[in-house]
Amino acid sequence: MPDPLRPAVVLLSGGMDSATALAVAQSQGFSASAISFRYGQRHAVELEAAAIVAKWAGVTRHVVVAFDLRAFGGSALTSQLDVPKDRPLATMSEGVPVTYVPARNTIFLSFATAWAETLGALDIFIGANALDYSGYPDCRPEYLQAFETMANLGTRIGSEGDRKITIHAPLLRMTKSEIIATGRRLGVDYSLTRTCYDPSPEGHACGHC
């Protein structure tokens, strides 16, 4: 068990997975600082949810970092490509989906690592889920392990002494039902979250996952 109030950085999108990862971090005794990203995503309503979840959870600090990946496109989340809907479960694990944003988690984790280093934090939490029928390469266990290795090679805090950065992905091998069960056990209020890539103008989920 980590020491009480040990600092950690949690990637907080405003969706159910990241809200659960935040709750897990806090349940393990970490003092969580949350980081969110405004990257030109079509579902920017998630940032409103992230702010609400961060306040509700009582995080130490919540920052929103802005940059625009629409300059590159290449994803249904940062371009005019349609978000796929009503797909059979059997097809959801076939290849990398059009909702994959090129190198998104690498960018997110790099920002989180930079902030963690300034905070003296060695622990970073991400709500990545490898069993999400998604096919996202930057949610796979080998990717997260490789990023952790890189973070320890490329930062002062990781390269000096015996202190090492750890990338935590507590939901990595959970099903969605297991994630919800974990969050409910930890008291997560999922009504505060938003987990839709193509919400209505009012921010309501499309209902076609």
Side-chain angles (χ1 to χ4, degrees):
M1 282 291 287
D3 296 331
L5 302 181
R6 183 175 173 183
V9 172
V10 180
L11 276 70
L12 183 64
S13 70
M16 58 172 280
D17 291 346
S18 67
T20 307
L22 171 58
V24 170
Q26 292 179 317
S27 75
Q28 293 179 358
F30 287 99
S31 174
S33 294
I35 187 169
S36 305
F37 301 94
R38 185 180 300 278
Y39 61 93
Q41 66 268 49
R42 67 197 301 162
H43 57 302
V45 66
E46 68 177 1
L47 291 174
E48 298 175 15
I52 292 170
V53 170
K55 183 177 181 180
W56 171 83
V59 301
T60 303
R61 185 180 173 194
H62 179 217
V63 300
V64 179
V65 178
F67 50 89
D68 198 346
L69 293 180
R70 290 176 297 181
F72 305 143
S75 169
L77 304 190
T78 56
S79 71
Q80 298 304 310
L81 296 172
D82 291 334
V83 173
K85 300 178 182 179
D86 299 313
R87 293 182 299 162
L89 284 176
T91 69
M92 290 188 181
S93 59
E94 296 178 356
V96 178
V98 72
T99 50
Y100 162 73
V101 179
R104 181 177 65 174
N105 278 351
T106 302
I107 297 167
F108 288 0
L109 283 169
S110 295
F111 273 103
T113 301
W115 193 27
E117 188 164 28
T118 69
L119 296 174
L122 294 168
D123 299 276
I124 298 170
F125 283 77
I126 181 173
N129 179 233
L131 302 182
D132 193 17
Y133 305 103
S134 62
Y136 295 133
D138 54 0
C139 287
R140 296 171 183 165
E142 56 270 30
Y143 162 78
L144 295 169
Q145 182 59 58
F147 188 94
E148 181 179 288
T149 299
M150 184 279 297
N152 282 298
L153 289 171
T155 59
R156 180 173 62 187
I157 197 171
S159 63
E160 291 183 347
D162 58 358
R163 301 195 306 159
K164 297 298 180 185
I165 294 169
T166 300
I167 305 297
H168 300 265
L171 318 183
L172 191 63
R173 301 187 185 279
M174 292 186 188
T175 64
K176 285 298 182 185
S177 60
E178 289 170 338
I179 292 170
I180 291 290
T182 298
R184 292 189 65 180
R185 175 173 56 81
L186 296 175
V188 175
D189 183 353
Y190 288 111
S191 71
L192 304 179
T193 66
R194 295 291 181 271
T195 310
C196 182
Y197 281 157
D198 194 21
S200 71
E202 295 76 30
H204 302 307
C206 69
H208 290 272
C209 295

mmCIF file of all heavy atoms in Angstrom, residues 153-204:
data_model
loop_
_atom_site.group_PDB
_atom_site.id
_atom_site.type_symbol
_atom_site.label_atom_id
_atom_site.label_comp_id
_atom_site.label_asym_id
_atom_site.label_seq_id
_atom_site.Cartn_x
_atom_site.Cartn_y
_atom_site.Cartn_z
ATOM 1 N N LEU A 153 13.548 6.255 -18.464
ATOM 2 C CA LEU A 153 14.799 6.567 -19.149
ATOM 3 C C LEU A 153 14.919 8.053 -19.469
ATOM 4 O O LEU A 153 16.016 8.603 -19.504
ATOM 5 C CB LEU A 153 14.899 5.772 -20.455
ATOM 6 C CG LEU A 153 15.135 4.267 -20.331
ATOM 7 C CD1 LEU A 153 14.993 3.601 -21.696
ATOM 8 C CD2 LEU A 153 16.513 3.982 -19.740
ATOM 9 N N GLY A 154 13.781 8.707 -19.691
ATOM 10 C CA GLY A 154 13.805 10.063 -20.220
ATOM 11 C C GLY A 154 13.468 11.163 -19.250
ATOM 12 O O GLY A 154 13.244 12.314 -19.668
ATOM 13 N N THR A 155 13.389 10.855 -17.961
ATOM 14 C CA THR A 155 13.105 11.892 -16.970
ATOM 15 C C THR A 155 14.179 11.891 -15.889
ATOM 16 O O THR A 155 14.808 10.864 -15.615
ATOM 17 C CB THR A 155 11.742 11.644 -16.285
ATOM 18 O OG1 THR A 155 11.753 10.362 -15.649
ATOM 19 C CG2 THR A 155 10.600 11.716 -17.287
ATOM 20 N N ARG A 156 14.352 13.033 -15.279
ATOM 21 C CA ARG A 156 15.320 13.119 -14.187
ATOM 22 C C ARG A 156 14.877 12.263 -13.006
ATOM 23 O O ARG A 156 15.689 11.543 -12.412
ATOM 24 C CB ARG A 156 15.487 14.576 -13.747
ATOM 25 C CG ARG A 156 16.496 14.749 -12.601
ATOM 26 C CD ARG A 156 16.762 16.214 -12.311
ATOM 27 N NE ARG A 156 15.542 16.902 -11.882
ATOM 28 C CZ ARG A 156 15.467 18.213 -11.690
ATOM 29 N NH1 ARG A 156 16.506 18.985 -11.932
ATOM 30 N NH2 ARG A 156 14.342 18.762 -11.288
ATOM 31 N N ILE A 157 13.569 12.343 -12.686
ATOM 32 C CA ILE A 157 13.085 11.625 -11.514
ATOM 33 C C ILE A 157 13.218 10.116 -11.687
ATOM 34 O O ILE A 157 13.434 9.384 -10.724
ATOM 35 C CB ILE A 157 11.620 12.022 -11.209
ATOM 36 C CG1 ILE A 157 11.240 11.621 -9.777
ATOM 37 C CG2 ILE A 157 10.655 11.417 -12.208
ATOM 38 C CD1 ILE A 157 9.887 12.166 -9.336
ATOM 39 N N GLY A 158 13.123 9.641 -12.930
ATOM 40 C CA GLY A 158 13.217 8.212 -13.168
ATOM 41 C C GLY A 158 14.636 7.707 -13.344
ATOM 42 O O GLY A 158 14.910 6.522 -13.124
ATOM 43 N N SER A 159 15.531 8.604 -13.732
ATOM 44 C CA SER A 159 16.893 8.166 -14.047
ATOM 45 C C SER A 159 17.875 8.358 -12.905
ATOM 46 O O SER A 159 18.986 7.825 -12.945
ATOM 47 C CB SER A 159 17.408 8.920 -15.281
ATOM 48 O OG SER A 159 17.483 10.319 -15.021
ATOM 49 N N GLU A 160 17.479 9.132 -11.893
ATOM 50 C CA GLU A 160 18.369 9.360 -10.763
ATOM 51 C C GLU A 160 17.909 8.541 -9.559
ATOM 52 O O GLU A 160 16.738 8.545 -9.198
ATOM 53 C CB GLU A 160 18.394 10.844 -10.383
ATOM 54 C CG GLU A 160 19.068 11.724 -11.427
ATOM 55 C CD GLU A 160 19.151 13.171 -10.992
ATOM 56 O OE1 GLU A 160 18.478 13.549 -10.009
ATOM 57 O OE2 GLU A 160 19.880 13.937 -11.651
ATOM 58 N N GLY A 161 18.825 7.857 -8.927
ATOM 59 C CA GLY A 161 18.495 7.093 -7.729
ATOM 60 C C GLY A 161 17.687 5.849 -8.049
ATOM 61 O O GLY A 161 17.676 5.348 -9.178
ATOM 62 N N ASP A 162 16.978 5.340 -7.047
ATOM 63 C CA ASP A 162 16.233 4.093 -7.224
ATOM 64 C C ASP A 162 14.731 4.320 -7.284
ATOM 65 O O ASP A 162 13.946 3.375 -7.222
ATOM 66 C CB ASP A 162 16.567 3.122 -6.082
ATOM 67 C CG ASP A 162 16.249 3.695 -4.705
ATOM 68 O OD1 ASP A 162 15.809 4.859 -4.626
ATOM 69 O OD2 ASP A 162 16.445 2.960 -3.718
ATOM 70 N N ARG A 163 14.302 5.565 -7.415
ATOM 71 C CA ARG A 163 12.869 5.847 -7.532
ATOM 72 C C ARG A 163 12.449 5.737 -8.986
ATOM 73 O O ARG A 163 13.089 6.287 -9.876
ATOM 74 C CB ARG A 163 12.541 7.235 -6.995
ATOM 75 C CG ARG A 163 12.941 7.423 -5.525
ATOM 76 C CD ARG A 163 12.269 8.650 -4.941
ATOM 77 N NE ARG A 163 12.522 9.859 -5.729
ATOM 78 C CZ ARG A 163 11.766 10.954 -5.687
ATOM 79 N NH1 ARG A 163 10.700 10.974 -4.926
ATOM 80 N NH2 ARG A 163 12.080 12.018 -6.399
ATOM 81 N N LYS A 164 11.363 5.026 -9.236
ATOM 82 C CA LYS A 164 10.932 4.781 -10.599
ATOM 83 C C LYS A 164 9.470 5.187 -10.787
ATOM 84 O O LYS A 164 8.630 5.033 -9.895
ATOM 85 C CB LYS A 164 11.093 3.299 -10.965
ATOM 86 C CG LYS A 164 12.550 2.815 -10.935
ATOM 87 C CD LYS A 164 13.407 3.571 -11.948
ATOM 88 C CE LYS A 164 14.851 3.102 -11.918
ATOM 89 N NZ LYS A 164 15.724 3.898 -12.816
ATOM 90 N N ILE A 165 9.172 5.684 -11.977
ATOM 91 C CA ILE A 165 7.801 6.020 -12.359
ATOM 92 C C ILE A 165 7.045 4.735 -12.671
ATOM 93 O O ILE A 165 7.568 3.826 -13.318
ATOM 94 C CB ILE A 165 7.800 6.946 -13.583
ATOM 95 C CG1 ILE A 165 8.428 8.299 -13.226
ATOM 96 C CG2 ILE A 165 6.395 7.134 -14.139
ATOM 97 C CD1 ILE A 165 8.705 9.177 -14.421
ATOM 98 N N THR A 166 5.797 4.668 -12.213
ATOM 99 C CA THR A 166 4.932 3.525 -12.495
ATOM 100 C C THR A 166 3.679 4.002 -13.218
ATOM 101 O O THR A 166 3.028 4.948 -12.770
ATOM 102 C CB THR A 166 4.528 2.795 -11.205
ATOM 103 O OG1 THR A 166 5.709 2.327 -10.537
ATOM 104 C CG2 THR A 166 3.630 1.603 -11.508
ATOM 105 N N ILE A 167 3.372 3.368 -14.338
ATOM 106 C CA ILE A 167 2.119 3.621 -15.046
ATOM 107 C C ILE A 167 1.104 2.598 -14.568
ATOM 108 O O ILE A 167 1.265 1.392 -14.785
ATOM 109 C CB ILE A 167 2.291 3.518 -16.574
ATOM 110 C CG1 ILE A 167 3.406 4.441 -17.065
ATOM 111 C CG2 ILE A 167 0.959 3.835 -17.280
ATOM 112 C CD1 ILE A 167 3.168 5.915 -16.836
ATOM 113 N N HIS A 168 0.055 3.069 -13.908
ATOM 114 C CA HIS A 168 -0.993 2.180 -13.390
ATOM 115 C C HIS A 168 -2.172 2.158 -14.367
ATOM 116 O O HIS A 168 -2.687 3.213 -14.746
ATOM 117 C CB HIS A 168 -1.509 2.683 -12.037
ATOM 118 C CG HIS A 168 -0.464 2.774 -10.967
ATOM 119 N ND1 HIS A 168 -0.237 1.765 -10.061
ATOM 120 C CD2 HIS A 168 0.418 3.768 -10.648
ATOM 121 C CE1 HIS A 168 0.726 2.120 -9.224
ATOM 122 N NE2 HIS A 168 1.143 3.340 -9.559
ATOM 123 N N ALA A 169 -2.601 0.979 -14.733
ATOM 124 C CA ALA A 169 -3.791 0.808 -15.567
ATOM 125 C C ALA A 169 -4.701 -0.198 -14.874
ATOM 126 O O ALA A 169 -4.805 -1.362 -15.286
ATOM 127 C CB ALA A 169 -3.420 0.347 -16.961
ATOM 128 N N PRO A 170 -5.370 0.206 -13.800
ATOM 129 C CA PRO A 170 -6.102 -0.747 -12.961
ATOM 130 C C PRO A 170 -7.292 -1.405 -13.646
ATOM 131 O O PRO A 170 -7.773 -2.438 -13.178
ATOM 132 C CB PRO A 170 -6.555 0.108 -11.771
ATOM 133 C CG PRO A 170 -6.585 1.513 -12.296
ATOM 134 C CD PRO A 170 -5.451 1.579 -13.275
ATOM 135 N N LEU A 171 -7.759 -0.835 -14.754
ATOM 136 C CA LEU A 171 -8.924 -1.391 -15.452
ATOM 137 C C LEU A 171 -8.531 -2.227 -16.657
ATOM 138 O O LEU A 171 -9.397 -2.685 -17.403
ATOM 139 C CB LEU A 171 -9.846 -0.258 -15.928
ATOM 140 C CG LEU A 171 -10.099 0.904 -14.978
ATOM 141 C CD1 LEU A 171 -11.082 1.880 -15.610
ATOM 142 C CD2 LEU A 171 -10.613 0.422 -13.637
ATOM 143 N N LEU A 172 -7.249 -2.436 -16.834
ATOM 144 C CA LEU A 172 -6.732 -2.956 -18.094
ATOM 145 C C LEU A 172 -7.410 -4.243 -18.527
ATOM 146 O O LEU A 172 -7.756 -4.408 -19.696
ATOM 147 C CB LEU A 172 -5.219 -3.164 -17.984
ATOM 148 C CG LEU A 172 -4.485 -3.452 -19.293
ATOM 149 C CD1 LEU A 172 -4.610 -2.271 -20.246
ATOM 150 C CD2 LEU A 172 -3.022 -3.767 -19.021
ATOM 151 N N ARG A 173 -7.627 -5.160 -17.612
ATOM 152 C CA ARG A 173 -8.164 -6.468 -17.978
ATOM 153 C C ARG A 173 -9.589 -6.678 -17.469
ATOM 154 O O ARG A 173 -10.064 -7.807 -17.392
ATOM 155 C CB ARG A 173 -7.234 -7.570 -17.460
ATOM 156 C CG ARG A 173 -5.824 -7.451 -18.029
ATOM 157 C CD ARG A 173 -4.949 -8.630 -17.666
ATOM 158 N NE ARG A 173 -3.573 -8.441 -18.109
ATOM 159 C CZ ARG A 173 -3.137 -8.649 -19.344
ATOM 160 N NH1 ARG A 173 -3.984 -9.047 -20.282
ATOM 161 N NH2 ARG A 173 -1.868 -8.451 -19.663
ATOM 162 N N MET A 174 -10.256 -5.580 -17.131
ATOM 163 C CA MET A 174 -11.642 -5.673 -16.673
ATOM 164 C C MET A 174 -12.621 -5.582 -17.839
ATOM 165 O O MET A 174 -12.373 -4.868 -18.817
ATOM 166 C CB MET A 174 -11.964 -4.544 -15.693
ATOM 167 C CG MET A 174 -11.266 -4.612 -14.361
ATOM 168 S SD MET A 174 -11.901 -3.294 -13.264
ATOM 169 C CE MET A 174 -10.790 -3.433 -11.884
ATOM 170 N N THR A 175 -13.742 -6.263 -17.730
ATOM 171 C CA THR A 175 -14.857 -6.031 -18.638
ATOM 172 C C THR A 175 -15.565 -4.751 -18.214
ATOM 173 O O THR A 175 -15.328 -4.228 -17.115
ATOM 174 C CB THR A 175 -15.848 -7.198 -18.592
ATOM 175 O OG1 THR A 175 -16.428 -7.260 -17.270
ATOM 176 C CG2 THR A 175 -15.169 -8.533 -18.913
ATOM 177 N N LYS A 176 -16.446 -4.242 -19.070
ATOM 178 C CA LYS A 176 -17.179 -3.031 -18.704
ATOM 179 C C LYS A 176 -18.026 -3.260 -17.460
ATOM 180 O O LYS A 176 -18.144 -2.377 -16.602
ATOM 181 C CB LYS A 176 -18.057 -2.570 -19.874
ATOM 182 C CG LYS A 176 -17.275 -1.922 -20.994
ATOM 183 C CD LYS A 176 -16.558 -0.665 -20.532
ATOM 184 C CE LYS A 176 -15.812 0.005 -21.663
ATOM 185 N NZ LYS A 176 -15.025 1.163 -21.209
ATOM 186 N N SER A 177 -18.631 -4.429 -17.338
ATOM 187 C CA SER A 177 -19.448 -4.699 -16.157
ATOM 188 C C SER A 177 -18.586 -4.736 -14.901
ATOM 189 O O SER A 177 -19.011 -4.277 -13.834
ATOM 190 C CB SER A 177 -20.215 -6.013 -16.323
ATOM 191 O OG SER A 177 -19.334 -7.109 -16.491
ATOM 192 N N GLU A 178 -17.372 -5.260 -15.017
ATOM 193 C CA GLU A 178 -16.461 -5.278 -13.868
ATOM 194 C C GLU A 178 -16.010 -3.866 -13.494
ATOM 195 O O GLU A 178 -15.834 -3.554 -12.307
ATOM 196 C CB GLU A 178 -15.260 -6.165 -14.166
ATOM 197 C CG GLU A 178 -15.599 -7.651 -14.207
ATOM 198 C CD GLU A 178 -14.459 -8.502 -14.736
ATOM 199 O OE1 GLU A 178 -13.577 -7.969 -15.445
ATOM 200 O OE2 GLU A 178 -14.459 -9.709 -14.441
ATOM 201 N N ILE A 179 -15.813 -3.024 -14.505
ATOM 202 C CA ILE A 179 -15.448 -1.631 -14.230
ATOM 203 C C ILE A 179 -16.571 -0.931 -13.464
ATOM 204 O O ILE A 179 -16.324 -0.252 -12.454
ATOM 205 C CB ILE A 179 -15.140 -0.891 -15.540
ATOM 206 C CG1 ILE A 179 -13.858 -1.431 -16.175
ATOM 207 C CG2 ILE A 179 -15.018 0.623 -15.291
ATOM 208 C CD1 ILE A 179 -13.602 -0.930 -17.584
ATOM 209 N N ILE A 180 -17.802 -1.106 -13.926
ATOM 210 C CA ILE A 180 -18.943 -0.490 -13.254
ATOM 211 C C ILE A 180 -19.080 -1.015 -11.830
ATOM 212 O O ILE A 180 -19.313 -0.251 -10.880
ATOM 213 C CB ILE A 180 -20.234 -0.742 -14.040
ATOM 214 C CG1 ILE A 180 -20.221 0.037 -15.366
ATOM 215 C CG2 ILE A 180 -21.463 -0.360 -13.214
ATOM 216 C CD1 ILE A 180 -20.342 1.526 -15.206
ATOM 217 N N ALA A 181 -18.906 -2.329 -11.655
ATOM 218 C CA ALA A 181 -19.021 -2.916 -10.318
ATOM 219 C C ALA A 181 -17.947 -2.351 -9.385
ATOM 220 O O ALA A 181 -18.210 -2.046 -8.221
ATOM 221 C CB ALA A 181 -18.915 -4.439 -10.402
ATOM 222 N N THR A 182 -16.732 -2.193 -9.920
ATOM 223 C CA THR A 182 -15.646 -1.617 -9.121
ATOM 224 C C THR A 182 -15.962 -0.181 -8.738
ATOM 225 O O THR A 182 -15.802 0.223 -7.583
ATOM 226 C CB THR A 182 -14.322 -1.669 -9.902
ATOM 227 O OG1 THR A 182 -13.985 -3.036 -10.175
ATOM 228 C CG2 THR A 182 -13.190 -1.007 -9.132
ATOM 229 N N GLY A 183 -16.411 0.601 -9.720
ATOM 230 C CA GLY A 183 -16.739 1.991 -9.442
ATOM 231 C C GLY A 183 -17.870 2.149 -8.452
ATOM 232 O O GLY A 183 -17.824 3.009 -7.556
ATOM 233 N N ARG A 184 -18.892 1.311 -8.571
ATOM 234 C CA ARG A 184 -20.012 1.396 -7.621
ATOM 235 C C ARG A 184 -19.555 1.041 -6.213
ATOM 236 O O ARG A 184 -19.980 1.666 -5.239
ATOM 237 C CB ARG A 184 -21.149 0.486 -8.074
ATOM 238 C CG ARG A 184 -21.834 0.958 -9.351
ATOM 239 C CD ARG A 184 -23.080 0.159 -9.649
ATOM 240 N NE ARG A 184 -24.090 0.357 -8.626
ATOM 241 C CZ ARG A 184 -25.291 -0.233 -8.643
ATOM 242 N NH1 ARG A 184 -25.611 -1.049 -9.635
ATOM 243 N NH2 ARG A 184 -26.161 -0.019 -7.683
ATOM 244 N N ARG A 185 -18.669 0.052 -6.118
ATOM 245 C CA ARG A 185 -18.136 -0.319 -4.803
ATOM 246 C C ARG A 185 -17.354 0.843 -4.180
ATOM 247 O O ARG A 185 -17.360 1.029 -2.965
ATOM 248 C CB ARG A 185 -17.248 -1.555 -4.942
ATOM 249 C CG ARG A 185 -16.547 -1.974 -3.651
ATOM 250 C CD ARG A 185 -15.824 -3.287 -3.815
ATOM 251 N NE ARG A 185 -14.862 -3.263 -4.905
ATOM 252 C CZ ARG A 185 -13.633 -2.751 -4.810
ATOM 253 N NH1 ARG A 185 -13.233 -2.213 -3.666
ATOM 254 N NH2 ARG A 185 -12.809 -2.768 -5.832
ATOM 255 N N LEU A 186 -16.709 1.638 -5.048
ATOM 256 C CA LEU A 186 -15.908 2.767 -4.577
ATOM 257 C C LEU A 186 -16.709 4.067 -4.495
ATOM 258 O O LEU A 186 -16.164 5.114 -4.177
ATOM 259 C CB LEU A 186 -14.694 2.960 -5.487
ATOM 260 C CG LEU A 186 -13.696 1.797 -5.497
ATOM 261 C CD1 LEU A 186 -12.596 2.042 -6.528
ATOM 262 C CD2 LEU A 186 -13.098 1.578 -4.117
ATOM 263 N N GLY A 187 -17.994 3.987 -4.842
ATOM 264 C CA GLY A 187 -18.863 5.152 -4.698
ATOM 265 C C GLY A 187 -18.874 6.112 -5.860
ATOM 266 O O GLY A 187 -19.315 7.262 -5.719
ATOM 267 N N VAL A 188 -18.422 5.692 -7.047
ATOM 268 C CA VAL A 188 -18.416 6.580 -8.209
ATOM 269 C C VAL A 188 -19.842 6.912 -8.627
ATOM 270 O O VAL A 188 -20.690 6.021 -8.750
ATOM 271 C CB VAL A 188 -17.665 5.932 -9.391
ATOM 272 C CG1 VAL A 188 -17.765 6.825 -10.637
ATOM 273 C CG2 VAL A 188 -16.210 5.692 -9.030
ATOM 274 N N ASP A 189 -20.114 8.177 -8.854
ATOM 275 C CA ASP A 189 -21.421 8.628 -9.347
ATOM 276 C C ASP A 189 -21.332 8.732 -10.865
ATOM 277 O O ASP A 189 -20.884 9.747 -11.409
ATOM 278 C CB ASP A 189 -21.775 9.975 -8.718
ATOM 279 C CG ASP A 189 -23.159 10.461 -9.129
ATOM 280 O OD1 ASP A 189 -23.792 9.820 -9.992
ATOM 281 O OD2 ASP A 189 -23.608 11.491 -8.580
ATOM 282 N N TYR A 190 -21.760 7.687 -11.552
ATOM 283 C CA TYR A 190 -21.625 7.658 -13.009
ATOM 284 C C TYR A 190 -22.561 8.629 -13.721
ATOM 285 O O TYR A 190 -22.384 8.890 -14.912
ATOM 286 C CB TYR A 190 -21.825 6.236 -13.530
ATOM 287 C CG TYR A 190 -20.657 5.322 -13.212
ATOM 288 C CD1 TYR A 190 -20.781 4.285 -12.306
ATOM 289 C CD2 TYR A 190 -19.422 5.526 -13.817
ATOM 290 C CE1 TYR A 190 -19.708 3.458 -12.003
ATOM 291 C CE2 TYR A 190 -18.343 4.710 -13.523
ATOM 292 C CZ TYR A 190 -18.490 3.681 -12.622
ATOM 293 O OH TYR A 190 -17.415 2.874 -12.330
ATOM 294 N N SER A 191 -23.535 9.174 -12.996
ATOM 295 C CA SER A 191 -24.405 10.165 -13.626
ATOM 296 C C SER A 191 -23.643 11.450 -13.942
ATOM 297 O O SER A 191 -24.106 12.264 -14.756
ATOM 298 C CB SER A 191 -25.593 10.485 -12.716
ATOM 299 O OG SER A 191 -25.185 11.238 -11.574
ATOM 300 N N LEU A 192 -22.468 11.621 -13.333
ATOM 301 C CA LEU A 192 -21.659 12.814 -13.586
ATOM 302 C C LEU A 192 -20.786 12.660 -14.828
ATOM 303 O O LEU A 192 -20.238 13.647 -15.323
ATOM 304 C CB LEU A 192 -20.747 13.090 -12.385
ATOM 305 C CG LEU A 192 -21.435 13.258 -11.024
ATOM 306 C CD1 LEU A 192 -20.384 13.490 -9.936
ATOM 307 C CD2 LEU A 192 -22.436 14.397 -11.058
ATOM 308 N N THR A 193 -20.633 11.441 -15.323
ATOM 309 C CA THR A 193 -19.700 11.165 -16.419
ATOM 310 C C THR A 193 -20.372 11.268 -17.783
ATOM 311 O O THR A 193 -21.599 11.239 -17.892
ATOM 312 C CB THR A 193 -19.082 9.766 -16.268
ATOM 313 O OG1 THR A 193 -20.107 8.767 -16.428
ATOM 314 C CG2 THR A 193 -18.430 9.593 -14.899
ATOM 315 N N ARG A 194 -19.544 11.375 -18.816
ATOM 316 C CA ARG A 194 -20.011 11.355 -20.201
ATOM 317 C C ARG A 194 -19.096 10.426 -20.990
ATOM 318 O O ARG A 194 -17.895 10.632 -21.037
ATOM 319 C CB ARG A 194 -19.987 12.768 -20.816
ATOM 320 C CG ARG A 194 -20.952 13.740 -20.176
ATOM 321 C CD ARG A 194 -22.405 13.373 -20.485
ATOM 322 N NE ARG A 194 -23.348 14.308 -19.890
ATOM 323 C CZ ARG A 194 -23.868 14.182 -18.667
ATOM 324 N NH1 ARG A 194 -23.523 13.164 -17.908
ATOM 325 N NH2 ARG A 194 -24.722 15.070 -18.201
ATOM 326 N N THR A 195 -19.709 9.398 -21.609
ATOM 327 C CA THR A 195 -18.913 8.378 -22.285
ATOM 328 C C THR A 195 -19.493 8.119 -23.674
ATOM 329 O O THR A 195 -19.970 7.036 -23.976
ATOM 330 C CB THR A 195 -18.885 7.067 -21.460
ATOM 331 O OG1 THR A 195 -18.521 7.374 -20.114
ATOM 332 C CG2 THR A 195 -17.865 6.089 -22.016
ATOM 333 N N CYS A 196 -19.484 9.134 -24.511
ATOM 334 C CA CYS A 196 -19.997 8.989 -25.876
ATOM 335 C C CYS A 196 -19.120 9.795 -26.824
ATOM 336 O O CYS A 196 -18.807 10.954 -26.543
ATOM 337 C CB CYS A 196 -21.442 9.467 -25.966
ATOM 338 S SG CYS A 196 -22.169 9.270 -27.631
ATOM 339 N N TYR A 197 -18.727 9.177 -27.928
ATOM 340 C CA TYR A 197 -17.889 9.855 -28.917
ATOM 341 C C TYR A 197 -18.682 10.743 -29.863
ATOM 342 O O TYR A 197 -18.101 11.544 -30.593
ATOM 343 C CB TYR A 197 -17.127 8.818 -29.741
ATOM 344 C CG TYR A 197 -15.915 8.232 -29.043
ATOM 345 C CD1 TYR A 197 -15.422 6.985 -29.425
ATOM 346 C CD2 TYR A 197 -15.256 8.910 -28.039
ATOM 347 C CE1 TYR A 197 -14.304 6.445 -28.810
ATOM 348 C CE2 TYR A 197 -14.151 8.384 -27.411
ATOM 349 C CZ TYR A 197 -13.675 7.145 -27.807
ATOM 350 O OH TYR A 197 -12.569 6.611 -27.194
ATOM 351 N N ASP A 198 -19.997 10.597 -29.883
ATOM 352 C CA ASP A 198 -20.812 11.408 -30.803
ATOM 353 C C ASP A 198 -22.085 11.873 -30.108
ATOM 354 O O ASP A 198 -23.196 11.517 -30.509
ATOM 355 C CB ASP A 198 -21.146 10.587 -32.051
ATOM 356 C CG ASP A 198 -21.682 11.456 -33.186
ATOM 357 O OD1 ASP A 198 -21.424 12.680 -33.173
ATOM 358 O OD2 ASP A 198 -22.352 10.917 -34.080
ATOM 359 N N PRO A 199 -21.938 12.679 -29.058
ATOM 360 C CA PRO A 199 -23.113 13.108 -28.297
ATOM 361 C C PRO A 199 -23.942 14.132 -29.061
ATOM 362 O O PRO A 199 -23.480 14.736 -30.032
ATOM 363 C CB PRO A 199 -22.500 13.728 -27.040
ATOM 364 C CG PRO A 199 -21.176 14.248 -27.509
ATOM 365 C CD PRO A 199 -20.689 13.250 -28.529
ATOM 366 N N SER A 200 -25.159 14.335 -28.577
ATOM 367 C CA SER A 200 -26.022 15.361 -29.143
ATOM 368 C C SER A 200 -25.483 16.736 -28.773
ATOM 369 O O SER A 200 -24.630 16.863 -27.896
ATOM 370 C CB SER A 200 -27.436 15.202 -28.592
ATOM 371 O OG SER A 200 -27.464 15.583 -27.214
ATOM 372 N N PRO A 201 -25.983 17.807 -29.440
ATOM 373 C CA PRO A 201 -25.534 19.161 -29.075
ATOM 374 C C PRO A 201 -25.767 19.482 -27.599
ATOM 375 O O PRO A 201 -25.074 20.316 -27.028
ATOM 376 C CB PRO A 201 -26.384 20.058 -29.986
ATOM 377 C CG PRO A 201 -26.684 19.198 -31.171
ATOM 378 C CD PRO A 201 -26.867 17.825 -30.629
ATOM 379 N N GLU A 202 -26.746 18.774 -26.985
ATOM 380 C CA GLU A 202 -27.019 19.004 -25.566
ATOM 381 C C GLU A 202 -26.114 18.161 -24.663
ATOM 382 O O GLU A 202 -26.186 18.252 -23.436
ATOM 383 C CB GLU A 202 -28.480 18.666 -25.252
ATOM 384 C CG GLU A 202 -29.497 19.570 -25.929
ATOM 385 C CD GLU A 202 -29.666 19.224 -27.427
ATOM 386 O OE1 GLU A 202 -29.480 18.041 -27.788
ATOM 387 O OE2 GLU A 202 -29.964 20.163 -28.205
ATOM 388 N N GLY A 203 -25.275 17.317 -25.286
ATOM 389 C CA GLY A 203 -24.355 16.507 -24.510
ATOM 390 C C GLY A 203 -24.856 15.140 -24.140
ATOM 391 O O GLY A 203 -24.212 14.416 -23.375
ATOM 392 N N HIS A 204 -26.020 14.748 -24.695
ATOM 393 C CA HIS A 204 -26.589 13.435 -24.369
ATOM 394 C C HIS A 204 -25.953 12.352 -25.232
ATOM 395 O O HIS A 204 -25.667 12.570 -26.421
ATOM 396 C CB HIS A 204 -28.094 13.440 -24.566
ATOM 397 C CG HIS A 204 -28.815 14.470 -23.753
ATOM 398 N ND1 HIS A 204 -28.650 14.581 -22.396
ATOM 399 C CD2 HIS A 204 -29.679 15.448 -24.122
ATOM 400 C CE1 HIS A 204 -29.398 15.576 -21.936
ATOM 401 N NE2 HIS A 204 -30.020 16.126 -22.970
#
